[in-house]
Amino acid sequence: MKTFAFAKPATVAEAVGAVAAEPDAVFLGGGTNLVDHLKLGVARPDRVVDVTGVTSGEIREDEDGTLFFGAGVRNSDLAANTAVRERYPVLAEALLSGASAQLRNMATAGGNPLQRTRCLYFQDVTTPCSKRAPGSGCSAIGGATRQHAILGASEACVATHPSDMAVALAALDARVHVAGTGGEREIAFEDLHRLPGDTPERDTVLEHGELITGFTLPAGPWSRRSAYRKVRDRASYAFALVSVAAGVSLADGKIGDVRVALGGVAHKPWRATEAEAVLRGARPGEDVFRAAADAELAGARALEGVDGGNAFKIPLARRTLVAVLRDLTTEEPNR
C-alpha cells in the first residue's frame, strides 16, 4: 500500500477544499470499497479525506412528500427506516441484497453508488485496463466476460456497475445533492453515472472535489408498489448477474405509471425507458411484459469469452423483468 496523507475535516466545505486542492486526493466514507483498492494497489492517492461525520446522517420526510437522506446514513439504517420500507420498498430490498450485514453497517449512502466495478481485470494491476490506466486497453474483451455488460459497452470497457442501491435509486427518480468548490448543485440520479465511451476511467459526472451530501426521493404511487429482484451465483454476498428495480401504479385495470431500471448489465445503472414506454397505459399481461423486455433489450450485445461469455444474460434479463412486472401487477403493494 502506498503511503498517503490523512485528513479529517470538520465541515463539508473543508472536506471539499482538501480534496479539490490535491489532484490525487480521495474522499473516504465507510471505506468498504476504497480500502480494498488501497490494498490491491488499484487506488494510489496522495491524500485520503475522511468525511465520516461530516455529511448528514439524517433521514426525514418533508412536507411536500419527498424523502431526504444524508450521504452519511449507513446502508443498514436506511434499509431499516420505516418510511423507506413502506414508501420505497424497492430501495430497502436493494440495500438488503447487497454485501453482508457487517458491510451494510459500515457502508454509507453517499459512498455506495460510487463504488467501482468488480471486474477481475480492473482489480488486477498486472493486467491492462483502460478504466484503471487510461488507454492501456481492455483485458476483459476476449477474456473472462461472464459478469460483464450487454448494454452500453465500448471497445474501451465492458465492465458493469456493482451497486444494488444505485439501481433502485435510478428507478426512483432520485435527486443527488452535491457540494463542490463552486457551490451546491443537484443532479438527477439517472444522469450521475456515465457510459464508458472512450473515457471509462470516469465513472460519474462529478468533478474532482465534488462531494455527495444527500439524496431526495420523490413521492409517487409507483414507489409503494415496487420491488427489487437480484439474480446471482449464490444466495448472499455476491454481485448481480442481472437485477431489476421496478415500481408501478395501477388505475382502471391499466398501468398508470411505471419506473424500471436494470443492474448487472451495463457500466451504469440502466434506466429502462424503452420498457417503460411500452408499459405505460397498457393493460398488464404476459404479452405486454415480454414486449417491454424485448424493446429494452433490442440493443443488447453478448460477449464471447474464455469462460463461455455472457449471452445467457440477455434471456435472463428478459425473464427477470417479466417476473418482477408480473408480481407487481398481481400482488398488493407493501404497506
Side-chain angles (χ1 to χ4, degrees), residues 11 48 88 92 102 107 110 124 136 164 167 199 215 256 307:
T11 66
V48 173
Y88 309 95
Q102 295 92 333
D124 181 355
S136 61
D164 297 293
V167 183
T199 55
F215 303 83
D307 56 355

Side-chain angles (χ1 to χ4, degrees), residues 121-122 127-141 155-158 200:
Y121 303 101
F122 173 75
T127 62
C129 170
S130 288
K131 177 176 279 296
R132 176 171 29 80
S136 61
C138 178
S139 295
I141 296 176
E155 290 299 314
C157 184
V158 296

Side-chain angles (χ1 to χ4, degrees), residues 33-270:
N33 188 213
L34 177 60
V35 172
D36 286 343
H37 288 167
L38 291 171
K39 293 176 180 178
L40 291 168
V42 173
R44 297 178 58 81
D46 291 327
R47 177 185 296 168
V48 173
V49 178
D50 185 359
V51 294
T52 306
V54 170
T55 53
S56 171
E58 179 184 21
I59 305 172
R60 71 168 187 266
E61 296 181 76
D62 292 331
E63 291 183 359
D64 62 358
T66 60
L67 183 84
F68 170 85
F69 56 92
V73 174
R74 302 292 175 175
N75 282 16
S76 53
D77 292 333
L78 188 60
N81 181 267
T82 300
V84 173
R85 288 162 50 204
E86 293 181 351
R87 295 176 54 194
Y88 309 95
V90 62
L91 178 57
E93 292 171 11
L95 287 162
L96 292 173
S97 74
S100 65
Q102 295 92 333
L103 288 172
R104 291 193 294 270
N105 285 337
M106 288 296 297
T108 61
N112 182 283
L114 299 182
Q115 61 184 297
R116 309 204 70 190
T117 183
R118 267 33 180 217
C119 173
L120 297 174
Y121 303 101
F122 173 75
Q123 298 190 108
D124 181 355
V125 296
T126 68
T127 62
C129 170
S130 288
K131 177 176 279 296
R132 176 171 29 80
S136 61
C138 178
S139 295
I141 296 176
T145 59
R146 184 172 182 272
Q147 297 281 345
H148 286 70
I150 55 173
L151 293 166
S154 73
E155 290 299 314
C157 184
V158 296
T160 54
H161 194 273
S163 171
D164 297 293
M165 174 189 181
V167 183
L169 292 178
L172 287 170
D173 285 341
R175 304 286 299 178
V176 187
H177 302 265
V178 175
T181 55
E184 299 180 353
R185 64 175 176 138
E186 285 188 23
I187 306 169
F189 190 87
E190 182 183 352
D191 298 329
L192 176 64
H193 296 90
R194 300 176 65 255
L195 290 177
D198 57 3
T199 55
E201 68 275 11
R202 288 200 63 194
D203 292 336
T204 72
V205 298
L206 296 178
E207 299 296 334
H208 181 67
E210 284 194 308
L211 175 65
I212 292 178
T213 58
F215 303 83
T216 299
L217 301 182
W222 42 265
S223 70
R224 287 185 178 269
R225 187 185 288 268
S226 63
Y228 184 75
R229 183 167 299 183
K230 179 178 181 178
V231 182
R232 47 189 162 176
D233 285 327
R234 55 180 184 267
S236 66
Y237 203 51
F239 296 102
L241 294 169
V242 167
S243 65
V244 173
V248 301
S249 64
L250 300 176
D252 300 323
K254 295 182 179 180
I255 297 173
D257 207 351
V258 59
R259 302 289 190 278
V260 181
L262 306 178
V265 298
H267 192 260
K268 61 179 286 183
W270 188 269

